[in-house]
Amino acid sequence: MPNYDEAEVREASSKILSRGMTAASIIINNRCNLTCKHCYIYEPERQTGKPSEFFRQISPKNFSRETALAIAKDLKGLVYLVTMPAMEPFLSRESTDTALVVARESSQRASVSIITNATLAPTWLDERRTRELTDTVEFLSI
């Protein structure tokens, strides 16, 4: 899998934004703690019996919290909805904190929604994080 640095990601985002994008999705991580039968993410694995290379390989070196936050800042004034879909944003303390910092930055000018299976939310959402979530996220989809 190629390594993308922050400058390359931001340049690609800038090109997309210049085309008049009105919504964005920021994938905080690409892993999940479940393997639901209805989930399209795992369909290639079910068909081939081999782990999917695409959906399991995002390394923090390739997409860090700083990169996610930089992209959220780049979206300033150009989006009305930022979603954090595909996999579980509350998978770890790090991904939970990343989701919350991106939501906080994005919510200043956009409606933010987070998609989660909620099975791990009680693990990482302490009182402070829960307050931050309710202050910044318009829509939580479970």
Side-chain angles (χ1 to χ4, degrees):
M1 176 178 236
N3 290 327
Y4 298 101
D5 66 20
E6 181 178 327
E8 291 173 306
V9 172
R10 293 183 80 175
E11 181 181 345
S13 298
S14 177
K15 288 178 183 176
I16 293 167
L17 291 172
S18 69
R19 296 181 190 148
M21 181 180 72
T22 59
S25 292
I26 299 175
I27 299 174
I28 300 302
N29 68 53
N30 64 347
R31 295 177 315 278
C32 184
N33 58 314
L34 304 177
T35 54
C36 300
K37 291 187 185 288
H38 66 273
C39 182
Y40 66 90
I41 298 295
Y42 292 101
E43 191 56 32
E45 291 182 17
R46 284 192 282 273
Q47 289 182 9
T48 65
K50 297 177 186 175
S52 170
E53 292 297 315
F54 180 75
F55 292 109
R56 300 286 176 90
Q57 300 290 325
I58 292 179
S59 145
K61 293 176 187 174
N62 293 339
F63 192 75
S64 65
R65 178 185 311 179
E66 291 74 28
T67 303
L69 186 55
I71 291 169
K73 287 180 180 178
D74 287 346
L75 299 174
K76 185 176 183 177
L78 298 172
V79 300
Y80 64 89
L81 175 66
V82 176
T83 61
M84 287 174 251
M87 308 320 230
E88 181 48 50
F90 302 129
L91 191 61
S92 67
R93 183 180 314 277
E94 182 181 358
S95 64
T96 298
D97 287 344
T98 299
L100 293 175
V101 74
V102 169
R104 183 176 58 243
E105 175 62 34
S106 301
S107 69
Q108 295 171 13
R109 66 202 153 273
S111 174
V112 177
S113 71
I114 293 180
I115 301 167
T116 176
N117 63 37
T119 60
L120 296 172
T123 305
W124 304 117
L125 289 176
D126 57 19
E127 186 176 337
R128 178 188 60 81
R129 287 183 182 94
T130 300
R131 191 174 324 114
E132 191 171 349
L133 181 74
T134 57
D135 287 348
T136 58
V137 175
E138 297 260 337
F139 183 74
L140 184 65
S141 176
I142 299 172

